[in-house]
Amino acid sequence: MAFLEIEGVRKSFGLNAVVQNFDLAVERGEFVSFLGPSGCGKTTTLRMVAGFEAPSTGAIRIDGKDVTRLRPNQRNVGMVFQSYALFPNMTVADNVAFGLKVAKRPVEERRARVEEMLRLIKLPTLADRYPYQLSGGQQQRVALARALAIKPQVLLLDEPLSALDAKIRVSLREEIRGVQRALGITTIYVTHDQEEALSMSDRIVVMNEGRVEQIGTPFDIYNFPRTRFVASFVGTLNILRGRVTDAAGGRIAVDGQEIVAARAIADGQAGELRSVALRPEAVTLEERTDESNRMRGTIEEVSFLGSVVRVRVRFNENAISLDTFNNPNLSPPRRGQPATVSFARQDLLVLEGAEPG
Amino acid sequence: MKGAKIGPWLAVIVGALYFVVPLIATFEFSLRLRRGEYSFEAYRIVLADPQFQATFGYSTVLALATIVVGVLLVVPTAYWIQLRLPRLRPIVEFITLLPLVIPAIVIVFGYLRIYNSSSLIPMTASERATDLLLTFSYVTLALPYMYRAVDTGLRAIDVRTLTEAAESLGASWPAILFRVIFPNVRVAVLSGAFLTFAIVIGEFTMASLLDRPAFGPYLQLIGANRAYEPSALAIIAFVVTWACMGLINLFGGGKTTKAVP
C-alpha cells in the first residue's frame, strides 16, 4: 500500500470543476511534483491534501488512515507557502517552535528541536532575528524548518521558490532536495517551473485544466510525452502535424514529405491527422546518409544565443527549431537559405489521439 | 516655482491659525480667574472638584469597558469577514458606518423605547443595567472607528496564509486568534482603543439622556454655570484627547515586514 493515496478526487466550485478524477499513489519518502500552468488545479489538489479544501468526491489517505474529512490541524502535514507565511511577531526560533508549542511539548524538547532545525537549514546564528530582518531565501528556509519541526508525515510545498530570484532559486531547490533526502520525508511540490520539477522530482504529475495529463519520472516525462500538452509544456518541443500514410509502419507525411517513427502508430489509421513531437537537440542541420529521417525546407530564422545558435527551418505549414553549437570558425546559416534537417526514427514521438481535420 | 511653494504654505498657516488661535485664547482665558494676574486657579478648582473626579472616573471605567466589548466584538468579526466571508464586507462596512449618519439622539431615543423600565428588557430599570446599556451604546458610537482601525490592520497582514500556516502546524482557532492574529494587529487594536477612549470621555447626548453621571454632562453643567472653569475643562479634555493620539503614534511604530534583499 502506498504511503499517500489520492483516490478519485474531484473538486468543484459551483459548476466549475477545478480538479477531476485525480488518482495518485505516493510511496514513503518519494518526492512528487505537480507541474502545470496557472489554474490547472495543482494548488487546489495540494490544498485538499493539506485539508484547506474539502474534496467534492474521492478520498485521501495517509499511511492507511482516511484524512479526507479531518481538519488541517489534525493531519500532521507540514506546509510551506509561496509567501513564506512566517509569523511577523515572532523571532526565527519562535516561528520554528510554534508547532511544538501549540502541541504543548516540553521547553527542553522545543529548544533542542529548534537548534536541530536551524542547523539543518544552515541558519544556526539567526534564531533571534525577526522575519523582516531576513532575506527572502532565508525566510523560506525558516518556513521549511518550521514545517519540518513538527515531524510531519507529509511535506507540502506550494511554489516555494516563485518569489525568489533565479540564482537563489537554483541553490535553494538543491537545499530543499538535500533536506528531503536526509529526512526521507514524503513530499509533494507544486510548481509551474518545468526545470524545477525535472531537476528535483522522483516523479512528476503533469496537470492541465484540472486533469492529470501524465505521471512519470522526469526522464519519461521529458523524453516520452504522451500528449500534445505535455510535449509542449515540458521543455522546448517541435510539434509537427501530418497525415498517417502507414500506421503499422509508423509512416506520416508532413507537408508532403514522409517521415518514419521507430514504432507503429498506436490506434492510428491511414489518412488521419496526427501530431508528432521532436526535441530540438534531436535534430541536426545536415543530410545524414543513414536510416534517419530527412526533411528539406528553408531557413526562416536564425537566433544567436551565445554558446548556441537556434535555427528555424520552415517546410510549408510546419517548421522545426533546432540548436547548433556556436563555432567561431564557421559562419552561421543565413535566412532564406535551403536546408536539410535530419533526425533519428526513435526520436520521433507520435502523440496520442487524432487531430481534428 | 517660488509662487507654487508659497500657496501651500499660506494654506497651512491660515489653517493652523484657524485652529490654534481659539485654543490659545481659551487657554489664556482659563488663566484669568484671579484679577490682574495669570494663574492655574481655575484648573485647581476643577481638579479638586469631587464631581470632576467622580464623573471623569466613571467615564474612564465606561471607556475601558467599551474598549473591551468593542475589541471582542470587532476583531473576530473583521477577521472572519476577511478570511471566510469577503463578499459580506460591503454590508458590514455599511452597518459600521450607520452610527455616523444616525444622530446619537435618535439612537438613544430608540434605546429608551425598546429598553425602558416597562419593556420586555427593562435595562433602564436599574443603574447597573443602564451602565451596561450606555456601554453598548458607546460600542455602537465607536464602531466606525474601531472597525476601520482593525480592518486596516488585518489588511496589512496576509490573514489567510498566516491562518493556514498556523493551522497546518496544529494550532486550534483560539491559538490562531490569540497567538497569531491579535499580536499582529496589536497596533491597529490600540489605535481603535484610543479613538474609542477619546470619543467616550467627551460624549454628552447618550449619557445625559440615560441620566448617568458621565464626564460629558459634567462639562455641560460647568459650562452653563461658571466662567473660567469651563475653559480649563476644555483644555483638560483637549490634552486628554491629544494624549490618546500621542499614544497611538507611540505604539504605532510597529515592526516592518519588508524583507531585506
Side-chain angles (χ1 to χ4, degrees):
Chain A
M1 191 198 291
F3 186 69
L4 168 66
E5 292 171 285
I6 304 173
E7 199 177 282
V9 162
R10 185 184 148 83
K11 178 69 184 175
S12 305
F13 293 108
L15 294 173
N16 184 23
V18 289
V19 177
Q20 302 175 58
N21 306 321
F22 192 101
D23 287 291
L24 179 69
V26 182
E27 295 303 325
R28 192 187 289 269
E30 201 177 4
F31 192 115
V32 175
S33 290
F34 293 173
L35 175 66
S38 297
C40 72
K42 55 189 190 300
T43 295
T44 306
T45 309
L46 189 86
R47 289 172 62 79
M48 286 193 279
V49 177
F52 299 132
E53 304 285 353
S56 304
T57 56
I60 297 166
R61 283 184 287 275
I62 298 174
D63 202 11
K65 183 184 173 190
D66 191 338
V67 298
T68 317
R69 300 291 153 193
L70 288 186
R71 290 191 49 75
N73 57 1
Q74 298 167 326
R75 294 193 182 200
N76 195 24
V77 165
M79 180 106 177
V80 176
F81 298 84
Q82 183 181 347
S83 58
Y84 323 134
L86 295 179
F87 306 129
N89 58 312
M90 297 181 201
T91 62
V92 166
D94 289 340
N95 264 284
V96 176
F98 181 84
L100 302 169
K101 204 170 178 181
V102 294
K104 298 189 169 59
R105 306 307 305 167
V107 177
E108 273 313 308
E109 183 188 326
R110 284 191 332 235
R111 193 174 298 144
R113 187 73 179 150
V114 168
E115 276 178 23
E116 184 191 346
M117 286 297 104
L118 293 183
R119 273 201 307 276
L120 188 72
I121 58 159
K122 300 185 182 100
L123 297 175
T125 57
L126 302 186
D128 296 326
R129 296 260 184 103
Y130 280 91
Y132 74 94
Q133 295 171 312
L134 304 177
S135 68
Q138 288 171 331
Q139 287 190 60
Q140 200 54 294
R141 277 146 80 189
V142 174
L144 179 66
R146 183 180 65 176
L148 291 170
I150 57 169
K151 297 185 179 168
Q153 286 182 293
V154 178
L155 177 65
L156 308 173
L157 301 110
D158 186 9
E159 308 217 22
L161 308 180
S162 302
L164 303 171
D165 64 54
K167 260 192 177 173
I168 294 170
R169 264 207 312 263
V170 172
S171 69
L172 203 50
R173 79 183 181 211
E174 285 166 8
E175 268 188 54
I176 289 174
R177 186 59 164 136
V179 168
Q180 187 271 336
R181 279 210 179 98
L183 300 177
I185 187 167
T186 310
T187 301
I188 297 183
Y189 187 98
V190 162
T191 182
H192 62 266
D193 184 330
Q194 40 142 328
E195 196 182 305
E196 248 171 59
L198 290 169
S199 65
M200 296 174 83
S201 319
D202 292 319
R203 279 192 300 156
I204 297 172
V205 178
V206 185
M207 294 181 71
N208 183 36
E209 293 179 350
R211 293 176 192 281
V212 173
E213 290 273 339
Q214 191 173 346
I215 301 175
T217 62
F219 183 85
D220 284 342
I221 295 281
Y222 186 81
N223 291 305
F224 309 110
R226 269 198 225 127
T227 65
R228 188 187 174 106
F229 174 80
V230 178
S232 59
F233 191 76
V234 182
T236 311
L237 209 77
N238 294 295
I239 306 279
L240 308 174
R241 263 168 40 120
R243 212 167 276 283
V244 177
T245 52
D246 174 10
R251 292 173 182 277
I252 288 184
V254 174
D255 290 337
Q257 302 185 55
E258 192 169 77
I259 51 175
V260 188
R263 281 182 261 177
I265 300 165
D267 306 325
Q269 287 181 345
E272 74 179 8
L273 271 176
R274 292 295 284 263
S275 288
V276 294
L278 258 177
R279 294 279 172 208
E281 60 267 29
V283 187
T284 54
L285 194 62
E286 60 181 358
E287 186 158 354
R288 288 192 213 151
T289 52
D290 56 13
E291 278 199 331
S292 293
N293 288 298
R294 289 178 293 277
M295 291 184 77
R296 287 182 180 80
T298 309
I299 293 176
E300 185 180 54
E301 191 64 65
V302 179
S303 309
F304 184 70
L305 304 174
S307 61
V308 165
V309 179
R310 179 157 293 170
V311 180
R312 189 163 73 233
V313 179
R314 175 151 300 276
F315 308 109
N316 189 2
E317 285 180 8
N318 294 280
I320 280 180
S321 284
L322 59 105
D323 293 338
T324 60
F325 283 114
N326 173 31
N327 184 345
N329 299 318
L330 295 174
S331 55
R334 291 188 316 276
R335 284 171 57 197
Q337 182 185 322
T340 301
V341 295
S342 305
F343 46 91
R345 292 181 174 194
Q346 58 269 28
D347 290 326
L348 191 67
L349 302 166
V350 182
L351 302 176
E352 287 174 0
E355 295 276 323
Chain B
M1 191 72 187
K2 208 172 179 181
K5 276 186 181 174
I6 289 170
W9 274 111
L10 203 65
V12 169
I13 290 165
V14 170
L17 288 175
Y18 183 80
F19 287 107
V20 172
V21 169
L23 205 62
I24 292 170
T26 305
F27 180 63
E28 196 268 348
F29 184 70
S30 71
L31 301 175
R32 283 207 210 170
L33 185 74
R34 285 189 185 159
R35 288 195 176 201
E37 60 172 322
Y38 283 137
S39 74
F40 285 97
E41 186 61 17
Y43 292 88
R44 193 195 59 75
I45 292 169
V46 163
L47 293 172
D49 184 356
Q51 249 196 308
F52 167 82
Q53 291 161 9
T55 54
F56 195 79
Y58 178 85
S59 285
T60 303
V61 170
L62 246 64
L64 295 176
T66 305
I67 288 165
V68 171
V69 176
V71 167
L72 289 177
L73 177 74
V74 168
V75 176
T77 306
Y79 169 64
W80 205 247
I81 293 289
Q82 188 126 328
L83 189 69
R84 293 271 190 268
L85 305 166
R87 280 188 207 162
L88 288 185
R89 185 195 294 278
I91 296 167
V92 174
E93 281 190 352
F94 176 75
I95 291 169
T96 61
L97 281 176
L98 285 178
L100 288 183
V101 289
I102 301 173
I105 197 160
V106 175
I107 297 174
V108 79
F109 268 112
Y111 285 158
L112 287 170
R113 273 192 73 82
I114 296 170
Y115 303 116
N116 64 58
S117 51
S118 52
S119 70
L120 281 175
I121 313 166
M123 290 196 78
T124 55
S126 74
E127 286 187 351
R128 289 290 81 83
T130 313
D131 290 342
L132 203 62
L133 184 60
L134 187 57
T135 305
F136 292 150
S137 67
Y138 284 159
V139 171
T140 309
L141 216 56
L143 201 57
Y145 309 99
M146 181 60 96
Y147 185 83
R148 245 137 220 87
V150 172
D151 191 48
T152 306
L154 284 170
R155 283 182 200 224
I157 58 171
D158 188 349
V159 169
R160 176 182 284 271
T161 315
L162 289 182
T163 301
E164 288 179 352
E167 230 182 336
S168 74
L169 293 165
S172 59
W173 282 114
I176 294 169
L177 256 180
F178 289 102
R179 291 188 183 175
V180 177
I181 302 302
F182 259 112
N184 284 304
V185 293
R186 184 180 57 95
V187 173
V189 169
L190 279 172
S191 299
F194 290 129
L195 286 171
T196 303
F197 190 86
I199 290 166
V200 173
I201 282 294
E203 204 283 329
F204 167 76
T205 314
M206 289 189 166
S208 174
L209 287 169
L210 289 174
D211 193 25
R212 300 307 299 137
F215 189 57
Y218 172 72
L219 275 176
Q220 191 275 334
L221 184 75
I222 295 293
N225 298 297
R226 303 281 183 85
Y228 300 99
E229 286 86 341
S231 302
L233 268 176
I235 295 296
I236 290 169
F238 179 81
V239 168
V240 168
T241 308
W242 274 92
C244 287
M245 298 298 171
L247 287 172
I248 293 174
N249 277 333
L250 190 70
F251 289 103
K255 296 178 195 84
T256 172
T257 51
K258 194 171 182 273
V260 293

mmCIF file of all heavy atoms in Angstrom, chain B residues 183-208:
data_model
loop_
_atom_site.group_PDB
_atom_site.id
_atom_site.type_symbol
_atom_site.label_atom_id
_atom_site.label_comp_id
_atom_site.label_asym_id
_atom_site.label_seq_id
_atom_site.Cartn_x
_atom_site.Cartn_y
_atom_site.Cartn_z
ATOM 1 N N PRO B 183 -1.654 39.474 18.115
ATOM 2 C CA PRO B 183 -0.359 40.175 18.217
ATOM 3 C C PRO B 183 0.010 40.946 16.952
ATOM 4 O O PRO B 183 0.691 41.955 17.027
ATOM 5 C CB PRO B 183 0.651 39.036 18.455
ATOM 6 C CG PRO B 183 -0.153 37.901 18.956
ATOM 7 C CD PRO B 183 -1.501 38.017 18.334
ATOM 8 N N ASN B 184 -0.462 40.467 15.796
ATOM 9 C CA ASN B 184 -0.095 41.135 14.554
ATOM 10 C C ASN B 184 -1.014 42.302 14.199
ATOM 11 O O ASN B 184 -0.730 43.044 13.254
ATOM 12 C CB ASN B 184 -0.036 40.127 13.401
ATOM 13 C CG ASN B 184 1.224 39.296 13.476
ATOM 14 O OD1 ASN B 184 2.330 39.823 13.505
ATOM 15 N ND2 ASN B 184 1.069 37.987 13.574
ATOM 16 N N VAL B 185 -2.145 42.443 14.917
ATOM 17 C CA VAL B 185 -2.990 43.626 14.710
ATOM 18 C C VAL B 185 -3.033 44.461 15.990
ATOM 19 O O VAL B 185 -3.916 45.292 16.169
ATOM 20 C CB VAL B 185 -4.434 43.267 14.240
ATOM 21 C CG1 VAL B 185 -4.410 42.678 12.856
ATOM 22 C CG2 VAL B 185 -5.120 42.335 15.207
ATOM 23 N N ARG B 186 -2.059 44.229 16.860
ATOM 24 C CA ARG B 186 -1.999 44.927 18.158
ATOM 25 C C ARG B 186 -2.038 46.454 17.978
ATOM 26 O O ARG B 186 -2.808 47.147 18.652
ATOM 27 C CB ARG B 186 -0.701 44.533 18.877
ATOM 28 C CG ARG B 186 -0.531 45.099 20.267
ATOM 29 C CD ARG B 186 0.794 44.616 20.843
ATOM 30 N NE ARG B 186 1.911 44.981 19.978
ATOM 31 C CZ ARG B 186 2.658 46.063 20.135
ATOM 32 N NH1 ARG B 186 2.421 46.888 21.123
ATOM 33 N NH2 ARG B 186 3.653 46.339 19.321
ATOM 34 N N VAL B 187 -1.243 46.940 17.040
ATOM 35 C CA VAL B 187 -1.166 48.388 16.823
ATOM 36 C C VAL B 187 -2.519 48.931 16.364
ATOM 37 O O VAL B 187 -2.984 49.966 16.848
ATOM 38 C CB VAL B 187 -0.076 48.700 15.778
ATOM 39 C CG1 VAL B 187 -0.096 50.171 15.411
ATOM 40 C CG2 VAL B 187 1.287 48.302 16.318
ATOM 41 N N ALA B 188 -3.170 48.195 15.459
ATOM 42 C CA ALA B 188 -4.476 48.630 14.949
ATOM 43 C C ALA B 188 -5.512 48.614 16.069
ATOM 44 O O ALA B 188 -6.329 49.536 16.183
ATOM 45 C CB ALA B 188 -4.914 47.722 13.805
ATOM 46 N N VAL B 189 -5.481 47.581 16.899
ATOM 47 C CA VAL B 189 -6.427 47.477 18.012
ATOM 48 C C VAL B 189 -6.206 48.642 18.985
ATOM 49 O O VAL B 189 -7.163 49.256 19.458
ATOM 50 C CB VAL B 189 -6.281 46.113 18.733
ATOM 51 C CG1 VAL B 189 -7.057 46.105 20.053
ATOM 52 C CG2 VAL B 189 -6.779 44.991 17.835
ATOM 53 N N LEU B 190 -4.929 48.965 19.243
ATOM 54 C CA LEU B 190 -4.626 50.087 20.147
ATOM 55 C C LEU B 190 -5.121 51.400 19.563
ATOM 56 O O LEU B 190 -5.671 52.244 20.284
ATOM 57 C CB LEU B 190 -3.119 50.165 20.396
ATOM 58 C CG LEU B 190 -2.587 49.191 21.448
ATOM 59 C CD1 LEU B 190 -1.075 49.219 21.470
ATOM 60 C CD2 LEU B 190 -3.132 49.546 22.832
ATOM 61 N N SER B 191 -4.955 51.580 18.247
ATOM 62 C CA SER B 191 -5.452 52.802 17.606
ATOM 63 C C SER B 191 -6.951 52.926 17.827
ATOM 64 O O SER B 191 -7.453 53.980 18.237
ATOM 65 C CB SER B 191 -5.176 52.787 16.103
ATOM 66 O OG SER B 191 -3.812 52.714 15.879
ATOM 67 N N GLY B 192 -7.667 51.832 17.550
ATOM 68 C CA GLY B 192 -9.120 51.823 17.739
ATOM 69 C C GLY B 192 -9.475 52.089 19.193
ATOM 70 O O GLY B 192 -10.433 52.812 19.495
ATOM 71 N N ALA B 193 -8.686 51.514 20.110
ATOM 72 C CA ALA B 193 -8.971 51.661 21.546
ATOM 73 C C ALA B 193 -8.816 53.114 21.991
ATOM 74 O O ALA B 193 -9.662 53.641 22.717
ATOM 75 C CB ALA B 193 -8.033 50.758 22.339
ATOM 76 N N PHE B 194 -7.755 53.781 21.543
ATOM 77 C CA PHE B 194 -7.531 55.168 21.966
ATOM 78 C C PHE B 194 -8.572 56.110 21.356
ATOM 79 O O PHE B 194 -9.020 57.051 22.005
ATOM 80 C CB PHE B 194 -6.115 55.619 21.612
ATOM 81 C CG PHE B 194 -5.077 54.931 22.464
ATOM 82 C CD1 PHE B 194 -3.986 54.299 21.897
ATOM 83 C CD2 PHE B 194 -5.196 54.911 23.843
ATOM 84 C CE1 PHE B 194 -3.043 53.663 22.680
ATOM 85 C CE2 PHE B 194 -4.255 54.275 24.638
ATOM 86 C CZ PHE B 194 -3.176 53.653 24.061
ATOM 87 N N LEU B 195 -8.957 55.823 20.098
ATOM 88 C CA LEU B 195 -10.018 56.640 19.486
ATOM 89 C C LEU B 195 -11.318 56.463 20.268
ATOM 90 O O LEU B 195 -12.034 57.431 20.535
ATOM 91 C CB LEU B 195 -10.230 56.228 18.020
ATOM 92 C CG LEU B 195 -9.150 56.683 17.045
ATOM 93 C CD1 LEU B 195 -9.351 56.042 15.678
ATOM 94 C CD2 LEU B 195 -9.165 58.204 16.897
ATOM 95 N N THR B 196 -11.607 55.212 20.644
ATOM 96 C CA THR B 196 -12.804 54.928 21.443
ATOM 97 C C THR B 196 -12.754 55.701 22.759
ATOM 98 O O THR B 196 -13.741 56.314 23.178
ATOM 99 C CB THR B 196 -12.898 53.412 21.720
ATOM 100 O OG1 THR B 196 -12.906 52.737 20.473
ATOM 101 C CG2 THR B 196 -14.153 53.058 22.508
ATOM 102 N N PHE B 197 -11.587 55.678 23.398
ATOM 103 C CA PHE B 197 -11.416 56.377 24.686
ATOM 104 C C PHE B 197 -11.714 57.870 24.518
ATOM 105 O O PHE B 197 -12.464 58.457 25.308
ATOM 106 C CB PHE B 197 -9.983 56.167 25.181
ATOM 107 C CG PHE B 197 -9.772 56.645 26.593
ATOM 108 C CD1 PHE B 197 -10.059 55.820 27.666
ATOM 109 C CD2 PHE B 197 -9.310 57.926 26.847
ATOM 110 C CE1 PHE B 197 -9.873 56.262 28.975
ATOM 111 C CE2 PHE B 197 -9.127 58.375 28.141
ATOM 112 C CZ PHE B 197 -9.406 57.532 29.214
ATOM 113 N N ALA B 198 -11.164 58.452 23.472
ATOM 114 C CA ALA B 198 -11.359 59.890 23.241
ATOM 115 C C ALA B 198 -12.833 60.213 22.996
ATOM 116 O O ALA B 198 -13.345 61.229 23.482
ATOM 117 C CB ALA B 198 -10.517 60.336 22.049
ATOM 118 N N ILE B 199 -13.532 59.329 22.270
ATOM 119 C CA ILE B 199 -14.962 59.571 21.981
ATOM 120 C C ILE B 199 -15.782 59.477 23.270
ATOM 121 O O ILE B 199 -16.607 60.333 23.568
ATOM 122 C CB ILE B 199 -15.480 58.538 20.944
ATOM 123 C CG1 ILE B 199 -14.859 58.814 19.585
ATOM 124 C CG2 ILE B 199 -17.003 58.557 20.849
ATOM 125 C CD1 ILE B 199 -15.025 57.673 18.607
ATOM 126 N N VAL B 200 -15.529 58.412 24.039
ATOM 127 C CA VAL B 200 -16.343 58.154 25.235
ATOM 128 C C VAL B 200 -16.144 59.253 26.283
ATOM 129 O O VAL B 200 -17.103 59.697 26.919
ATOM 130 C CB VAL B 200 -16.022 56.755 25.819
ATOM 131 C CG1 VAL B 200 -16.726 56.548 27.165
ATOM 132 C CG2 VAL B 200 -16.457 55.682 24.842
ATOM 133 N N ILE B 201 -14.926 59.714 26.472
ATOM 134 C CA ILE B 201 -14.639 60.716 27.509
ATOM 135 C C ILE B 201 -15.457 61.998 27.304
ATOM 136 O O ILE B 201 -15.959 62.586 28.249
ATOM 137 C CB ILE B 201 -13.119 61.031 27.531
ATOM 138 C CG1 ILE B 201 -12.379 59.914 28.260
ATOM 139 C CG2 ILE B 201 -12.809 62.368 28.178
ATOM 140 C CD1 ILE B 201 -12.697 59.780 29.744
ATOM 141 N N GLY B 202 -15.655 62.394 26.051
ATOM 142 C CA GLY B 202 -16.355 63.662 25.818
ATOM 143 C C GLY B 202 -17.822 63.509 25.450
ATOM 144 O O GLY B 202 -18.492 64.507 25.189
ATOM 145 N N GLU B 203 -18.363 62.276 25.399
ATOM 146 C CA GLU B 203 -19.721 62.053 24.907
ATOM 147 C C GLU B 203 -20.760 62.657 25.859
ATOM 148 O O GLU B 203 -20.713 62.444 27.074
ATOM 149 C CB GLU B 203 -19.955 60.550 24.735
ATOM 150 C CG GLU B 203 -21.038 60.209 23.738
ATOM 151 C CD GLU B 203 -22.440 60.406 24.281
ATOM 152 O OE1 GLU B 203 -22.638 60.238 25.505
ATOM 153 O OE2 GLU B 203 -23.328 60.747 23.493
ATOM 154 N N PHE B 204 -21.740 63.365 25.299
ATOM 155 C CA PHE B 204 -22.749 64.045 26.136
ATOM 156 C C PHE B 204 -24.158 63.453 25.968
ATOM 157 O O PHE B 204 -24.804 63.070 26.939
ATOM 158 C CB PHE B 204 -22.770 65.536 25.791
ATOM 159 C CG PHE B 204 -23.962 66.255 26.364
ATOM 160 C CD1 PHE B 204 -24.017 66.573 27.727
ATOM 161 C CD2 PHE B 204 -25.042 66.603 25.561
ATOM 162 C CE1 PHE B 204 -25.124 67.220 28.262
ATOM 163 C CE2 PHE B 204 -26.151 67.256 26.105
ATOM 164 C CZ PHE B 204 -26.189 67.567 27.448
ATOM 165 N N THR B 205 -24.616 63.334 24.709
ATOM 166 C CA THR B 205 -26.023 63.043 24.431
ATOM 167 C C THR B 205 -26.526 61.784 25.128
ATOM 168 O O THR B 205 -27.543 61.806 25.841
ATOM 169 C CB THR B 205 -26.229 62.917 22.897
ATOM 170 O OG1 THR B 205 -25.564 63.997 22.272
ATOM 171 C CG2 THR B 205 -27.696 62.935 22.539
ATOM 172 N N MET B 206 -25.823 60.678 24.912
ATOM 173 C CA MET B 206 -26.309 59.397 25.419
ATOM 174 C C MET B 206 -26.287 59.363 26.946
ATOM 175 O O MET B 206 -27.253 58.932 27.584
ATOM 176 C CB MET B 206 -25.473 58.264 24.842
ATOM 177 C CG MET B 206 -25.759 58.083 23.355
ATOM 178 S SD MET B 206 -25.024 56.637 22.674
ATOM 179 C CE MET B 206 -25.874 56.525 21.115
ATOM 180 N N ALA B 207 -25.169 59.834 27.510
ATOM 181 C CA ALA B 207 -25.047 59.821 28.974
ATOM 182 C C ALA B 207 -26.103 60.716 29.611
ATOM 183 O O ALA B 207 -26.716 60.356 30.628
ATOM 184 C CB ALA B 207 -23.650 60.280 29.371
ATOM 185 N N SER B 208 -26.355 61.865 28.982
ATOM 186 C CA SER B 208 -27.311 62.810 29.545
ATOM 187 C C SER B 208 -28.731 62.250 29.491
ATOM 188 O O SER B 208 -29.466 62.287 30.478
ATOM 189 C CB SER B 208 -27.213 64.124 28.766
ATOM 190 O OG SER B 208 -28.213 65.001 29.195
#
